[in-house]
Structures are given as structure tokens and as C-alpha cells.
Amino acid sequence: QVQLVESGGGLVQAGGSLRLSCAASGLTFSTTAMGWFRQAPGKEREFVAAVSRSDGNTYYADSVKGRFTISRSILKKMVYLEMNNLKSEDTAVYYCAADASGAVITTRVEDFGSWGQGTQVTVSS
């Protein structure tokens, strides 16, 4: 059974930084693409960042490009999201997700078959 457990969310002032972590178990982590999504109140879940299953390639939503960095540790079975220069519009519940489609890298929410419980990020202006 796949388990994804996020941590690191919290309250931060605009311009500040946070680092989210996701501990993965129950999957072949080294060959699974991973991603971060977020969902703000009243809005649909949206893609934030993804890291490939093999060579560490990354992809970002335009809204976070240059501010957020996704990374993974194969040894520790962890995925991270470093968030800098946070803005009020980044306020949301952030979810870690594991791809189920077998893609090398994907941004489509429907390709991700396993999700964490989410961690709240609140940015005050």
C-alpha cells in the first residue's frame, strides 16, 4: 500500500520561505515520477511541480517557476518542495502525489494514483 506523508507547512509572511517534505513508502520510489499539487479554498486542485522518475528532470507551473524547487532523494524515499518568495496567492493545501501511469514525468492530475493527506501553507500579506 502506497503511503505519502507530507510535512513542513505553516504560516509565513509574504516574501518568506518554507520547505515541504514528503515521505514515500509502499512503492518502487526510484522508478516513479512524483509531483506536488495544491488546492486553495473554492478552487480546483492545480499542478505545482513534478520530478521525473529517472534522470531528475523537473517541470513547474508558470506561477511558481523561479521561486519553487522540487527535488527528490532516492536513498531516503523523500520528495521536497522548496518555496521561496512566497506570495499570498500561494496559500493552499499542498499535496504530494505519486504517478500511476508509468510516465517518465507528468503534470496531469489524473495520472497520479496516490496522494498524501496534504499540508496547509498560509502566506500572510
Side-chain angles (χ1 to χ4, degrees):
Q1 183 180 355
V2 178
Q3 276 198 315
L4 303 172
V5 180
E6 303 100 333
S7 60
L11 174 64
V12 64
Q13 288 189 334
S17 299
L18 279 175
R19 187 195 196 203
L20 304 184
S21 299
C22 172
S25 61
L27 73 165
T28 307
F29 186 74
S30 59
T31 58
T32 302
M34 301 293 294
W36 285 96
F37 289 77
R38 66 187 181 187
Q39 188 165 18
K43 294 187 177 182
E44 292 188 352
R45 192 168 297 189
E46 65 173 0
F47 167 76
V48 174
V51 60
S52 73
R53 67 180 187 186
S54 53
D55 54 9
N57 278 345
T58 57
Y59 194 83
Y60 299 93
D62 287 343
S63 58
V64 306
K65 203 171 294 182
R67 300 187 298 123
F68 290 13
T69 302
I70 187 172
S71 61
R72 66 190 297 168
S73 168
I74 300 296
L75 185 63
K76 295 181 179 180
K77 296 187 179 180
M78 297 287 293
V79 182
Y80 306 99
L81 185 69
E82 185 76 35
M83 305 185 294
N84 297 314
N85 190 21
L86 283 160
K87 305 176 181 180
S88 57
E89 51 263 43
D90 294 319
T91 295
V93 177
Y94 283 71
Y95 298 90
C96 175
D99 171 64
S101 71
V104 174
I105 187 170
T106 181
T107 66
R108 305 193 320 160
V109 64
E110 58 265 34
D111 285 342
F112 290 84
S114 300
W115 297 82
Q117 81 287 352
T119 185
Q120 176 70 47
V121 172
T122 302
V123 184
S124 63
S125 55

